[in-house]
Amino acid sequence: MTTLDSTHDAGLQSWVASANDPDSDFPIQNLPFGRFRLAADADWRIGVAIGDQVLDLRTAQLIDGNDMPQLLSLTPDARLALRQAIADGLCLGSPQQPLFAAALHAQTDVQLGLPCEIGDYTDFYTSIHHATTIGKQLRPDSPLLPNYKWVPIGYHGRASSIVPSGTPFHRPNGQTKAPDREVPSFGPCRRLDYELELGLVIGRPNPLGQPVRMAQAEDHVFGVTLFNDWSARDLQAWEYQPLGPFLAKNFASSLSPWVVTLEALAPFRAPFNRPEGDPSALNYLLSPENTAQGAINIELEVWLQTAQMQATGHAGDKLSQSNYRDAYWTMAQLVAHHTVNGCNLRAGDLFGTGTLSGPQPEQGGSLMELSAGGKKPFTLSSGETRTYLEDGDTVILRGYCVREGFRRIGFGECRGTVLPAVQI
Ligand code: MN
């Protein structure tokens, strides 16, 4: 479990002036990791966001090469030491300022990619509020399936279609079947949705056959990103039984460029308790640390900018707001459960948390929730209406952490734009 140290001091300032802007997502207290390159044909380098700049870690002589799996696999002590070294070099008055200044690039001058090559990708279903709302649409009498409070539900997704924030994607084609029709039809998805999720980047691997215990589970999580698991609801409804989501999910998933480390998130940890009257999780999913501070207080927002809004310089509408601390299963529980059968996780694997909806109806993390399965259109500030996404729509996820006495840190953005379907 991470602890507070001098790198979290709210008074710490950087000689990178933009990092001291109170609205910056990337003050010196954050220091998230990502990959960038200077041209489309150049090699990826490992960087840390500081204000509106990115620090090239190799040029700053903080790491030997640009091997992200190696960085992700660092021991907790080595991670802490690297964070301290970066903070020392970037803080006001540092003797390393000349060396580090030569390793800075404006974020607008570089291309930001996926933070690492994604190995395996597992998507979970950790918001009981999302599961209940979706379940009500399908099974009004028993919205939650009997396993929900016992098993962290997940499925294996494809890593190949995980794209960096900013990458547009085509509306998928596929099979759908209307309830009143005998046979399915083929064509562009008509119920295209987003899912507000966090992506947990796995750091240290565990060998095949060696489960990770709850007490060590967070040592295997490097950090947290924003993640949009775009979903084709009409394709999903027809294809998902009996083996779960398939083509409704693997046409595109967007990942934000910066991995906010568990060290940076230390001030924003929160106790984790189930609601009164719920059964306790089985023992292998419990630990004193998880109860004391297994949750994380991360505010999350979904914004929608339509093509018309973009054309008129309108920044978009905020569709919903929720918080990661409302999830029913914690990061540690996901790692402990995923490995309890001996499954090996590798550096660069990704866990999606599942759609993070809040307890209130307006806190739904998907349009399926906000439009009641497409039955209730809502009106945007531009006068346009939506149930599901239209071509030209851009969805932007944002996240940030605030706590009295600490510096606000942010996750940046995860954005993606819907292009028309490919003709088949
Ligand atoms: Mn999902």
Side-chain angles (χ1 to χ4, degrees), residues 186-197:
F186 178 84
C189 160
R190 288 189 293 186
R191 297 187 164 205
L192 182 62
D193 204 350
Y194 58 78
E195 290 191 336
L196 166 62
E197 302 197 19

Side-chain angles (χ1 to χ4, degrees), residues 139-162:
R139 301 171 299 274
D141 297 334
S142 59
L144 271 191
L145 290 169
N147 58 5
Y148 190 84
K149 294 181 179 178
W150 299 97
V151 181
I153 301 297
Y155 69 93
H156 284 111
R158 278 192 72 79
S160 65
S161 50
I162 297 177

Side-chain angles (χ1 to χ4, degrees), residues 167-405:
T167 309
F169 65 92
H170 292 281
R171 175 181 297 274
N173 286 299
Q175 286 194 28
T176 57
K177 195 186 85 62
D180 57 347
R181 301 291 289 272
E182 287 274 310
V183 295
S185 58
F186 178 84
C189 160
R190 288 189 293 186
R191 297 187 164 205
L192 182 62
D193 204 350
Y194 58 78
E195 290 191 336
L196 166 62
E197 302 197 19
L198 290 170
L200 312 178
V201 176
I202 298 299
R204 301 186 73 204
N206 67 295
L208 182 66
Q210 294 187 24
V212 177
R213 306 312 201 268
M214 278 294 283
Q216 285 83 41
E218 287 195 3
D219 293 348
H220 295 261
V221 179
F222 186 82
V224 182
T225 59
L226 300 168
F227 186 60
N228 187 341
D229 179 25
W230 305 97
S231 299
R233 300 300 183 195
D234 41 359
L235 276 60
Q236 188 177 353
W238 172 232
E239 75 171 9
Y240 87 104
Q241 288 175 317
L243 289 184
F246 182 34
L247 300 183
K249 297 283 191 174
N250 63 16
F251 55 94
S253 312
S254 301
L255 192 66
S256 63
W258 299 113
V259 186
V260 177
T261 62
L262 292 202
E263 289 78 22
L265 291 166
F268 310 103
R269 303 304 298 250
F272 178 75
N273 287 297
R274 288 185 161 193
E276 199 76 24
D278 274 17
S280 172
L282 297 180
N283 272 335
Y284 78 96
L285 295 171
L286 297 175
S287 75
E289 299 89 346
N290 194 58
T291 304
Q293 48 173 334
I296 319 181
N297 187 350
I298 304 175
E299 280 293 331
L300 299 163
E301 298 177 355
V302 182
W303 291 69
L304 173 65
Q305 186 191 44
T306 67
Q308 181 186 317
M309 289 174 173
Q310 194 174 31
T312 57
H314 184 311
D317 282 359
K318 183 160 77 174
L319 296 188
S320 72
Q321 184 150 0
S322 58
N323 193 301
Y324 185 40
R325 74 174 167 238
D326 291 325
Y328 198 78
W329 297 99
T330 65
M331 282 185 306
Q333 289 175 322
L334 300 187
V335 171
H337 182 67
H338 205 309
T339 61
V340 74
N341 66 345
C343 178
N344 49 327
L345 303 178
R346 294 181 289 200
D349 284 358
L350 185 75
F351 288 3
T353 56
T355 309
L356 294 172
S357 304
Q360 304 304 322
E362 68 274 16
Q363 292 184 297
S366 70
L367 290 176
M368 191 177 181
E369 291 156 272
L370 297 179
S371 74
K375 292 192 190 74
K376 287 187 186 163
F378 56 90
T379 304
L380 303 168
S381 64
S382 58
E384 301 167 277
T385 60
R386 285 292 181 276
T387 49
Y388 288 99
L389 295 170
E390 303 287 339
D391 292 348
D393 283 354
T394 298
V395 175
I396 305 144
L397 310 183
R398 297 197 173 98
Y400 55 93
C401 301
V402 288
R403 179 181 161 194
E404 187 70 36

